[in-house]
Amino acid sequence: MTNPAPNPTSIATVSLSGDLAEKLQAIAAAGFDAVEVFENDFLTFDGGPREVGRMVADLGMRICAFQPFRDFEGMPEPLRARGFARAERKFAIMNELGTDLMLICSNVSPQALGGIDRAAADFHELGELAARFGVRVGYEALAWGRHVNDYRDAWEIVRRADHERIGVILDSFHTLARPSPLGPIASIPGDRIFLVQLADAPKLDMDVLSWSRHFRCFPGQGDLAVADFVRAVAQTGYAGPLSHEIFNDQFRAGSARRLATDGMRSLIALSDQTRPHLPPRAPVLGVEFIEFALDEEIAAELSSLFSALGFRQTGTHVSKSVTRWSQGDINLLLNTEKDGFAQSHAIMHGPGVCAIALRVDDVGQAMARAAALKIPSFEQPVGPGELQIPAIRGVGGSLIYFTQPTGDLGHIWEKDFAPVAGVEAPPQAALLQRVDHISQSMDYEEMLSWLLFYSALFALDRIPQLAIADPGGLVESRPLVSANQTLRIVLNGSQATRTLSSRFVSEHFGSGVQHIAFDAPDIFAAVGAMRAAGLSFLDIPENYYEDLEARHGLDPDFIDRLRDHHILYDRDGEAEFLQVYTHVFAQRFFFEIVERRGGYGGFGAVNAPVRLASQAREARPVTMPRSLREM
């Protein structure tokens, strides 16, 4: 049995930023089949409807709907007559636009009269008018409609209207926000559904109108059961467009091109959820390496830091100025090449992480899924006999490489690196065992994009978003974790301009890795050895430890050990989490050392405000007292 043909893809112009021409170009570039023209975008366009229709056609798309038409059904006279007159003018515009469908949303006017039969009679009469213009009308139940706020009532009105030009429009947000049961959707004939609109949203405790107007997002970026909604629609035999309709303040401020690509990526991932046809989401087996791009002087300083952290140089690239530093299952690369991708990244962003390599079970499948999701790949020349490691573009223009346990890509260290004899410590001697998590800071407006990127490509579970108090404002933090705990990615963004996260982005020309956490089997032993090697850690206020003792009733001797080692502590039931931070390196990034006990699954979020305040103090310039300046 073969899968049915996929539904055409569409998006409403209201979903994106820019003027109408910019929106249409972005939508076409992302590969959409169709577009819903939002009336306000048309009204503010400096041209007629025929010109809009030609623009859309020239871009290889069609207009699947003109919307919205408001406050129509159940109105008393003379408002009823005015509604029909308005509809007639809009039908004429639709003929010139080249579209045959108008969306009418359920009435919210305080003057609207109730009654399903009254509304059905209005729509039957409107169907007769629509027939004269060769167009159709789709009726949508707004979740806050005055009399009709459930798709079942909208369908009953359409059914009683009994006109071939009148159908129902189903919207995932209006259906799931109430929520309404999905089962009855299957009873609607597919040919009576004129359009299906899609929107996700985070779960928020607020009135549904504000929720809808400001917080909708693409499927896969929120918490609603959009995939279940689409499965229910599929049972009807509906073969028309699946169309995004998004109202979101972040989207209106973002890049139209990026958001249109996100929209297409969302539809592809959603289609795969409901009708699997892509390679599966890549399960991550581990972090193969993290690569830093920097100049030789800073590389020497970072090498000293690596040494103090317990890493040893274990390899040198066979042809490039790249060194390998290893400990446990952790591999860090220092790239000081004078040309190539790493050099370009360092020039653009300053010293920092330019690439992450992830170990997956099948590189070919991971790359094929990335391509299907419209994620750009990357390739650069390699020397004779060296491996071409497949890669895609990631956060801030960085790279994500893929390796696998089998084949040539399972032997990158033997093929591409010459070993440094006698320096690799035995596994049991490692102070640090593996990469615990990688934290990436980005523009706040990009967070939903990268959330969709990671969750659509990799087998990662989303952890609820956290709001962290930074001295400069709030930081939103969104973790993604693989089921086997081999990959933890934390996305951070802030609307406040003075937070550590925002300053990282603004001062270093874009998003990227701001900190890396390593897992220590014994954090006290690790910190002791590192301090003996000359490393110091972030200072933590005494008040923190006084409060810690009161909150958890910990043994005073244990509190003293935490204080002496600058270690932060959290507990969840019987599970414990210990964490300590290095100072910020080169005003750019820092490292965290953690120990998880008893299956602790979080990130010590309760300690984040203390850490951020301590880092803010360290970053604050020291001002000499006036009396000393004048001496």
Side-chain angles (χ1 to χ4, degrees), residues 430-468:
L431 300 175
L432 308 173
Q433 288 288 0
R434 63 189 62 83
V435 175
D436 184 85
H437 63 272
I438 300 170
S439 179
Q440 297 180 313
S441 290
M442 58 199 58
D443 282 323
Y444 182 76
E445 290 75 17
E446 293 183 357
M447 286 189 69
L448 288 175
S449 294
W450 293 111
L451 177 67
L452 176 62
F453 171 94
Y454 280 116
S455 59
L457 180 57
F458 299 109
L460 297 172
D461 297 321
R462 294 184 295 169
I463 307 300
Q465 184 165 302
L466 301 168
I468 307 297

mmCIF file of all heavy atoms in Angstrom, residues 430-468:
data_model
loop_
_atom_site.group_PDB
_atom_site.id
_atom_site.type_symbol
_atom_site.label_atom_id
_atom_site.label_comp_id
_atom_site.label_asym_id
_atom_site.label_seq_id
_atom_site.Cartn_x
_atom_site.Cartn_y
_atom_site.Cartn_z
ATOM 1 N N ALA A 430 40.797 9.734 34.294
ATOM 2 C CA ALA A 430 40.177 10.950 33.781
ATOM 3 C C ALA A 430 39.397 11.666 34.878
ATOM 4 O O ALA A 430 38.592 11.068 35.582
ATOM 5 C CB ALA A 430 39.260 10.605 32.617
ATOM 6 N N LEU A 431 39.645 12.963 35.000
ATOM 7 C CA LEU A 431 38.867 13.774 35.933
ATOM 8 C C LEU A 431 37.464 14.016 35.390
ATOM 9 O O LEU A 431 36.502 14.133 36.145
ATOM 10 C CB LEU A 431 39.564 15.119 36.168
ATOM 11 C CG LEU A 431 40.980 15.068 36.748
ATOM 12 C CD1 LEU A 431 41.571 16.478 36.802
ATOM 13 C CD2 LEU A 431 40.978 14.437 38.136
ATOM 14 N N LEU A 432 37.366 14.108 34.059
ATOM 15 C CA LEU A 432 36.110 14.368 33.372
ATOM 16 C C LEU A 432 35.845 13.228 32.402
ATOM 17 O O LEU A 432 36.772 12.750 31.730
ATOM 18 C CB LEU A 432 36.172 15.699 32.618
ATOM 19 C CG LEU A 432 36.632 16.913 33.439
ATOM 20 C CD1 LEU A 432 36.809 18.128 32.534
ATOM 21 C CD2 LEU A 432 35.649 17.206 34.562
ATOM 22 N N GLN A 433 34.597 12.792 32.267
ATOM 23 C CA GLN A 433 34.311 11.608 31.472
ATOM 24 C C GLN A 433 33.668 11.915 30.121
ATOM 25 O O GLN A 433 33.982 11.284 29.132
ATOM 26 C CB GLN A 433 33.386 10.659 32.258
ATOM 27 C CG GLN A 433 34.072 9.953 33.410
ATOM 28 C CD GLN A 433 35.044 8.879 32.958
ATOM 29 O OE1 GLN A 433 35.218 8.636 31.764
ATOM 30 N NE2 GLN A 433 35.723 8.244 33.895
ATOM 31 N N ARG A 434 32.737 12.859 30.079
ATOM 32 C CA ARG A 434 31.987 13.095 28.839
ATOM 33 C C ARG A 434 31.431 14.515 28.827
ATOM 34 O O ARG A 434 31.431 15.197 29.865
ATOM 35 C CB ARG A 434 30.844 12.092 28.694
ATOM 36 C CG ARG A 434 29.790 12.170 29.763
ATOM 37 C CD ARG A 434 28.791 11.018 29.686
ATOM 38 N NE ARG A 434 29.465 9.756 29.882
ATOM 39 C CZ ARG A 434 29.758 9.230 31.065
ATOM 40 N NH1 ARG A 434 29.449 9.885 32.183
ATOM 41 N NH2 ARG A 434 30.361 8.078 31.167
ATOM 42 N N VAL A 435 30.956 14.927 27.670
ATOM 43 C CA VAL A 435 30.264 16.204 27.564
ATOM 44 C C VAL A 435 28.870 16.033 28.164
ATOM 45 O O VAL A 435 28.105 15.178 27.713
ATOM 46 C CB VAL A 435 30.168 16.668 26.101
ATOM 47 C CG1 VAL A 435 29.321 17.941 25.997
ATOM 48 C CG2 VAL A 435 31.552 16.899 25.516
ATOM 49 N N ASP A 436 28.557 16.824 29.175
ATOM 50 C CA ASP A 436 27.245 16.715 29.806
ATOM 51 C C ASP A 436 26.206 17.519 29.037
ATOM 52 O O ASP A 436 25.131 17.010 28.719
ATOM 53 C CB ASP A 436 27.307 17.208 31.253
ATOM 54 C CG ASP A 436 25.983 17.028 31.973
ATOM 55 O OD1 ASP A 436 25.741 15.931 32.508
ATOM 56 O OD2 ASP A 436 25.172 17.980 31.972
ATOM 57 N N HIS A 437 26.492 18.778 28.739
ATOM 58 C CA HIS A 437 25.576 19.572 27.924
ATOM 59 C C HIS A 437 26.312 20.729 27.264
ATOM 60 O O HIS A 437 27.394 21.131 27.699
ATOM 61 C CB HIS A 437 24.355 20.059 28.712
ATOM 62 C CG HIS A 437 24.633 20.980 29.854
ATOM 63 N ND1 HIS A 437 24.906 20.539 31.137
ATOM 64 C CD2 HIS A 437 24.659 22.337 29.936
ATOM 65 C CE1 HIS A 437 25.077 21.561 31.949
ATOM 66 N NE2 HIS A 437 24.935 22.676 31.236
ATOM 67 N N ILE A 438 25.713 21.228 26.205
ATOM 68 C CA ILE A 438 26.251 22.350 25.438
ATOM 69 C C ILE A 438 25.204 23.436 25.441
ATOM 70 O O ILE A 438 24.043 23.201 25.079
ATOM 71 C CB ILE A 438 26.585 21.922 23.994
ATOM 72 C CG1 ILE A 438 27.630 20.801 24.000
ATOM 73 C CG2 ILE A 438 27.074 23.115 23.174
ATOM 74 C CD1 ILE A 438 27.842 20.152 22.640
ATOM 75 N N SER A 439 25.602 24.631 25.859
ATOM 76 C CA SER A 439 24.670 25.752 25.978
ATOM 77 C C SER A 439 24.954 26.772 24.882
ATOM 78 O O SER A 439 26.083 27.254 24.758
ATOM 79 C CB SER A 439 24.812 26.397 27.356
ATOM 80 O OG SER A 439 23.943 27.488 27.502
ATOM 81 N N GLN A 440 23.925 27.096 24.105
ATOM 82 C CA GLN A 440 24.071 28.024 22.987
ATOM 83 C C GLN A 440 23.209 29.259 23.232
ATOM 84 O O GLN A 440 22.014 29.140 23.525
ATOM 85 C CB GLN A 440 23.662 27.354 21.675
ATOM 86 C CG GLN A 440 24.558 26.176 21.310
ATOM 87 C CD GLN A 440 24.159 25.509 20.008
ATOM 88 O OE1 GLN A 440 22.986 25.235 19.784
ATOM 89 N NE2 GLN A 440 25.128 25.245 19.155
ATOM 90 N N SER A 441 23.808 30.429 23.111
ATOM 91 C CA SER A 441 23.071 31.678 23.247
ATOM 92 C C SER A 441 22.779 32.255 21.876
ATOM 93 O O SER A 441 23.596 32.139 20.957
ATOM 94 C CB SER A 441 23.875 32.687 24.082
ATOM 95 O OG SER A 441 23.932 32.272 25.428
ATOM 96 N N MET A 442 21.625 32.881 21.747
ATOM 97 C CA MET A 442 21.168 33.358 20.444
ATOM 98 C C MET A 442 20.217 34.526 20.629
ATOM 99 O O MET A 442 19.734 34.788 21.737
ATOM 100 C CB MET A 442 20.459 32.228 19.700
ATOM 101 C CG MET A 442 19.275 31.650 20.458
ATOM 102 S SD MET A 442 18.804 30.012 19.872
ATOM 103 C CE MET A 442 20.307 29.078 20.101
ATOM 104 N N ASP A 443 19.959 35.241 19.516
ATOM 105 C CA ASP A 443 18.923 36.262 19.554
ATOM 106 C C ASP A 443 17.618 35.619 20.002
ATOM 107 O O ASP A 443 17.272 34.514 19.562
ATOM 108 C CB ASP A 443 18.736 36.885 18.167
ATOM 109 C CG ASP A 443 19.826 37.889 17.845
ATOM 110 O OD1 ASP A 443 20.256 38.606 18.751
ATOM 111 O OD2 ASP A 443 20.236 37.945 16.674
ATOM 112 N N TYR A 444 16.883 36.318 20.841
ATOM 113 C CA TYR A 444 15.620 35.790 21.359
ATOM 114 C C TYR A 444 14.681 35.386 20.216
ATOM 115 O O TYR A 444 13.992 34.375 20.296
ATOM 116 C CB TYR A 444 14.963 36.849 22.241
ATOM 117 C CG TYR A 444 13.671 36.407 22.881
ATOM 118 C CD1 TYR A 444 13.669 35.553 23.973
ATOM 119 C CD2 TYR A 444 12.439 36.856 22.387
ATOM 120 C CE1 TYR A 444 12.482 35.151 24.563
ATOM 121 C CE2 TYR A 444 11.245 36.459 22.976
ATOM 122 C CZ TYR A 444 11.275 35.605 24.059
ATOM 123 O OH TYR A 444 10.109 35.195 24.635
ATOM 124 N N GLU A 445 14.689 36.178 19.133
ATOM 125 C CA GLU A 445 13.799 35.910 18.004
ATOM 126 C C GLU A 445 14.158 34.619 17.272
ATOM 127 O O GLU A 445 13.361 34.102 16.489
ATOM 128 C CB GLU A 445 13.827 37.077 17.016
ATOM 129 C CG GLU A 445 13.173 38.351 17.513
ATOM 130 C CD GLU A 445 14.025 39.093 18.534
ATOM 131 O OE1 GLU A 445 15.240 38.801 18.606
ATOM 132 O OE2 GLU A 445 13.488 39.957 19.247
ATOM 133 N N GLU A 446 15.361 34.078 17.504
ATOM 134 C CA GLU A 446 15.797 32.862 16.818
ATOM 135 C C GLU A 446 15.487 31.589 17.595
ATOM 136 O O GLU A 446 15.640 30.485 17.078
ATOM 137 C CB GLU A 446 17.310 32.899 16.566
ATOM 138 C CG GLU A 446 17.782 33.954 15.593
ATOM 139 C CD GLU A 446 19.277 33.860 15.355
ATOM 140 O OE1 GLU A 446 19.939 33.010 15.989
ATOM 141 O OE2 GLU A 446 19.788 34.633 14.541
ATOM 142 N N MET A 447 15.062 31.716 18.844
ATOM 143 C CA MET A 447 14.966 30.532 19.691
ATOM 144 C C MET A 447 14.001 29.490 19.146
ATOM 145 O O MET A 447 14.294 28.286 19.143
ATOM 146 C CB MET A 447 14.572 30.929 21.110
ATOM 147 C CG MET A 447 15.702 31.573 21.889
ATOM 148 S SD MET A 447 15.305 31.795 23.639
ATOM 149 C CE MET A 447 15.265 30.098 24.228
ATOM 150 N N LEU A 448 12.839 29.928 18.669
ATOM 151 C CA LEU A 448 11.876 28.970 18.127
ATOM 152 C C LEU A 448 12.412 28.297 16.870
ATOM 153 O O LEU A 448 12.128 27.120 16.615
ATOM 154 C CB LEU A 448 10.547 29.668 17.838
ATOM 155 C CG LEU A 448 9.717 30.064 19.063
ATOM 156 C CD1 LEU A 448 8.488 30.851 18.633
ATOM 157 C CD2 LEU A 448 9.306 28.836 19.869
ATOM 158 N N SER A 449 13.193 29.028 16.071
ATOM 159 C CA SER A 449 13.784 28.443 14.864
ATOM 160 C C SER A 449 14.722 27.293 15.216
ATOM 161 O O SER A 449 14.654 26.212 14.621
ATOM 162 C CB SER A 449 14.555 29.504 14.074
ATOM 163 O OG SER A 449 13.709 30.489 13.557
ATOM 164 N N TRP A 450 15.594 27.525 16.189
ATOM 165 C CA TRP A 450 16.561 26.485 16.542
ATOM 166 C C TRP A 450 15.920 25.371 17.359
ATOM 167 O O TRP A 450 16.374 24.213 17.297
ATOM 168 C CB TRP A 450 17.754 27.103 17.254
ATOM 169 C CG TRP A 450 18.530 27.972 16.309
ATOM 170 C CD1 TRP A 450 18.644 29.322 16.315
ATOM 171 C CD2 TRP A 450 19.254 27.518 15.153
ATOM 172 N NE1 TRP A 450 19.397 29.751 15.247
ATOM 173 C CE2 TRP A 450 19.784 28.672 14.521
ATOM 174 C CE3 TRP A 450 19.504 26.273 14.595
ATOM 175 C CZ2 TRP A 450 20.560 28.589 13.357
ATOM 176 C CZ3 TRP A 450 20.265 26.190 13.433
ATOM 177 C CH2 TRP A 450 20.788 27.335 12.825
ATOM 178 N N LEU A 451 14.866 25.679 18.088
ATOM 179 C CA LEU A 451 14.107 24.617 18.747
ATOM 180 C C LEU A 451 13.537 23.651 17.708
ATOM 181 O O LEU A 451 13.632 22.420 17.842
ATOM 182 C CB LEU A 451 12.983 25.227 19.579
ATOM 183 C CG LEU A 451 12.042 24.257 20.283
ATOM 184 C CD1 LEU A 451 12.764 23.494 21.371
ATOM 185 C CD2 LEU A 451 10.841 25.000 20.866
ATOM 186 N N LEU A 452 12.966 24.200 16.643
ATOM 187 C CA LEU A 452 12.425 23.373 15.571
ATOM 188 C C LEU A 452 13.536 22.621 14.850
ATOM 189 O O LEU A 452 13.401 21.432 14.539
ATOM 190 C CB LEU A 452 11.655 24.254 14.584
ATOM 191 C CG LEU A 452 11.086 23.570 13.341
ATOM 192 C CD1 LEU A 452 10.059 22.507 13.731
ATOM 193 C CD2 LEU A 452 10.449 24.605 12.417
ATOM 194 N N PHE A 453 14.651 23.283 14.591
ATOM 195 C CA PHE A 453 15.802 22.670 13.925
ATOM 196 C C PHE A 453 16.234 21.402 14.653
ATOM 197 O O PHE A 453 16.335 20.320 14.067
ATOM 198 C CB PHE A 453 16.942 23.693 13.883
ATOM 199 C CG PHE A 453 18.274 23.175 13.421
ATOM 200 C CD1 PHE A 453 18.649 23.279 12.098
ATOM 201 C CD2 PHE A 453 19.171 22.607 14.319
ATOM 202 C CE1 PHE A 453 19.896 22.819 11.668
ATOM 203 C CE2 PHE A 453 20.410 22.142 13.906
ATOM 204 C CZ PHE A 453 20.776 22.246 12.572
ATOM 205 N N TYR A 454 16.506 21.527 15.950
ATOM 206 C CA TYR A 454 17.019 20.379 16.702
ATOM 207 C C TYR A 454 15.965 19.285 16.874
ATOM 208 O O TYR A 454 16.266 18.092 16.731
ATOM 209 C CB TYR A 454 17.515 20.846 18.079
ATOM 210 C CG TYR A 454 18.886 21.470 18.058
ATOM 211 C CD1 TYR A 454 19.061 22.801 18.387
ATOM 212 C CD2 TYR A 454 20.008 20.724 17.713
ATOM 213 C CE1 TYR A 454 20.327 23.388 18.376
ATOM 214 C CE2 TYR A 454 21.274 21.292 17.703
ATOM 215 C CZ TYR A 454 21.433 22.629 18.034
ATOM 216 O OH TYR A 454 22.672 23.195 18.021
ATOM 217 N N SER A 455 14.736 19.678 17.195
ATOM 218 C CA SER A 455 13.721 18.663 17.476
ATOM 219 C C SER A 455 13.253 17.951 16.212
ATOM 220 O O SER A 455 12.816 16.800 16.274
ATOM 221 C CB SER A 455 12.535 19.280 18.218
ATOM 222 O OG SER A 455 11.943 20.323 17.466
ATOM 223 N N ALA A 456 13.334 18.611 15.048
ATOM 224 C CA ALA A 456 12.938 17.963 13.804
ATOM 225 C C ALA A 456 14.016 17.034 13.275
ATOM 226 O O ALA A 456 13.720 16.020 12.644
ATOM 227 C CB ALA A 456 12.603 19.016 12.743
ATOM 228 N N LEU A 457 15.277 17.357 13.547
ATOM 229 C CA LEU A 457 16.387 16.573 12.989
ATOM 230 C C LEU A 457 16.819 15.431 13.895
ATOM 231 O O LEU A 457 17.108 14.328 13.424
ATOM 232 C CB LEU A 457 17.573 17.506 12.723
ATOM 233 C CG LEU A 457 18.834 16.873 12.129
ATOM 234 C CD1 LEU A 457 18.524 16.163 10.808
ATOM 235 C CD2 LEU A 457 19.912 17.929 11.931
ATOM 236 N N PHE A 458 16.867 15.663 15.194
ATOM 237 C CA PHE A 458 17.400 14.680 16.128
ATOM 238 C C PHE A 458 16.308 14.118 17.041
ATOM 239 O O PHE A 458 15.292 14.777 17.286
ATOM 240 C CB PHE A 458 18.491 15.310 17.000
ATOM 241 C CG PHE A 458 19.676 15.817 16.233
ATOM 242 C CD1 PHE A 458 19.891 17.177 16.096
ATOM 243 C CD2 PHE A 458 20.571 14.942 15.635
ATOM 244 C CE1 PHE A 458 20.982 17.664 15.389
ATOM 245 C CE2 PHE A 458 21.655 15.406 14.912
ATOM 246 C CZ PHE A 458 21.862 16.776 14.786
ATOM 247 N N ALA A 459 16.562 12.928 17.563
ATOM 248 C CA ALA A 459 15.643 12.305 18.519
ATOM 249 C C ALA A 459 15.891 12.923 19.890
ATOM 250 O O ALA A 459 16.597 12.365 20.737
ATOM 251 C CB ALA A 459 15.851 10.791 18.544
ATOM 252 N N LEU A 460 15.309 14.106 20.096
ATOM 253 C CA LEU A 460 15.484 14.850 21.339
ATOM 254 C C LEU A 460 14.127 15.159 21.940
ATOM 255 O O LEU A 460 13.169 15.446 21.223
ATOM 256 C CB LEU A 460 16.230 16.164 21.084
ATOM 257 C CG LEU A 460 17.660 16.063 20.546
ATOM 258 C CD1 LEU A 460 18.181 17.449 20.162
ATOM 259 C CD2 LEU A 460 18.579 15.428 21.580
ATOM 260 N N ASP A 461 14.052 15.110 23.256
ATOM 261 C CA ASP A 461 12.841 15.494 23.979
ATOM 262 C C ASP A 461 12.995 16.932 24.464
ATOM 263 O O ASP A 461 14.073 17.326 24.933
ATOM 264 C CB ASP A 461 12.605 14.567 25.177
ATOM 265 C CG ASP A 461 12.375 13.128 24.747
ATOM 266 O OD1 ASP A 461 11.704 12.920 23.724
ATOM 267 O OD2 ASP A 461 12.873 12.218 25.445
ATOM 268 N N ARG A 462 11.916 17.700 24.371
ATOM 269 C CA ARG A 462 11.957 19.083 24.825
ATOM 270 C C ARG A 462 11.591 19.174 26.298
ATOM 271 O O ARG A 462 10.581 18.619 26.732
ATOM 272 C CB ARG A 462 11.012 19.940 23.989
ATOM 273 C CG ARG A 462 11.442 20.056 22.527
ATOM 274 C CD ARG A 462 10.535 20.986 21.765
ATOM 275 N NE ARG A 462 9.179 20.452 21.691
ATOM 276 C CZ ARG A 462 8.131 21.136 21.262
ATOM 277 N NH1 ARG A 462 8.280 22.388 20.885
ATOM 278 N NH2 ARG A 462 6.952 20.592 21.209
ATOM 279 N N ILE A 463 12.418 19.878 27.048
ATOM 280 C CA ILE A 463 12.164 20.124 28.463
ATOM 281 C C ILE A 463 11.444 21.468 28.571
ATOM 282 O O ILE A 463 11.741 22.388 27.804
ATOM 283 C CB ILE A 463 13.490 20.158 29.254
ATOM 284 C CG1 ILE A 463 14.304 18.883 28.987
ATOM 285 C CG2 ILE A 463 13.231 20.335 30.745
ATOM 286 C CD1 ILE A 463 13.626 17.605 29.378
ATOM 287 N N PRO A 464 10.487 21.613 29.489
ATOM 288 C CA PRO A 464 9.778 22.902 29.598
ATOM 289 C C PRO A 464 10.715 24.091 29.733
ATOM 290 O O PRO A 464 11.763 24.016 30.377
ATOM 291 C CB PRO A 464 8.922 22.709 30.862
ATOM 292 C CG PRO A 464 8.691 21.234 30.931
ATOM 293 C CD PRO A 464 9.952 20.599 30.415
ATOM 294 N N GLN A 465 10.311 25.180 29.102
ATOM 295 C CA GLN A 465 11.128 26.397 29.090
ATOM 296 C C GLN A 465 11.237 26.980 30.481
ATOM 297 O O GLN A 465 10.298 26.946 31.279
ATOM 298 C CB GLN A 465 10.511 27.419 28.134
ATOM 299 C CG GLN A 465 11.319 28.694 27.974
ATOM 300 C CD GLN A 465 10.876 29.492 26.763
ATOM 301 O OE1 GLN A 465 10.894 29.000 25.645
ATOM 302 N NE2 GLN A 465 10.458 30.729 26.996
ATOM 303 N N LEU A 466 12.414 27.543 30.772
ATOM 304 C CA LEU A 466 12.676 28.151 32.066
ATOM 305 C C LEU A 466 12.959 29.637 31.885
ATOM 306 O O LEU A 466 13.549 30.048 30.881
ATOM 307 C CB LEU A 466 13.897 27.494 32.732
ATOM 308 C CG LEU A 466 13.811 25.983 32.997
ATOM 309 C CD1 LEU A 466 15.178 25.448 33.381
ATOM 310 C CD2 LEU A 466 12.791 25.683 34.078
ATOM 311 N N ALA A 467 12.562 30.450 32.844
ATOM 312 C CA ALA A 467 12.904 31.868 32.861
ATOM 313 C C ALA A 467 13.921 32.079 33.974
ATOM 314 O O ALA A 467 13.640 31.846 35.150
ATOM 315 C CB ALA A 467 11.666 32.721 33.096
ATOM 316 N N ILE A 468 15.140 32.475 33.591
ATOM 317 C CA ILE A 468 16.246 32.613 34.529
ATOM 318 C C ILE A 468 16.511 34.094 34.789
ATOM 319 O O ILE A 468 16.603 34.894 33.854
ATOM 320 C CB ILE A 468 17.524 31.953 33.965
ATOM 321 C CG1 ILE A 468 17.240 30.496 33.539
ATOM 322 C CG2 ILE A 468 18.651 32.028 34.968
ATOM 323 C CD1 ILE A 468 16.830 29.594 34.661
#
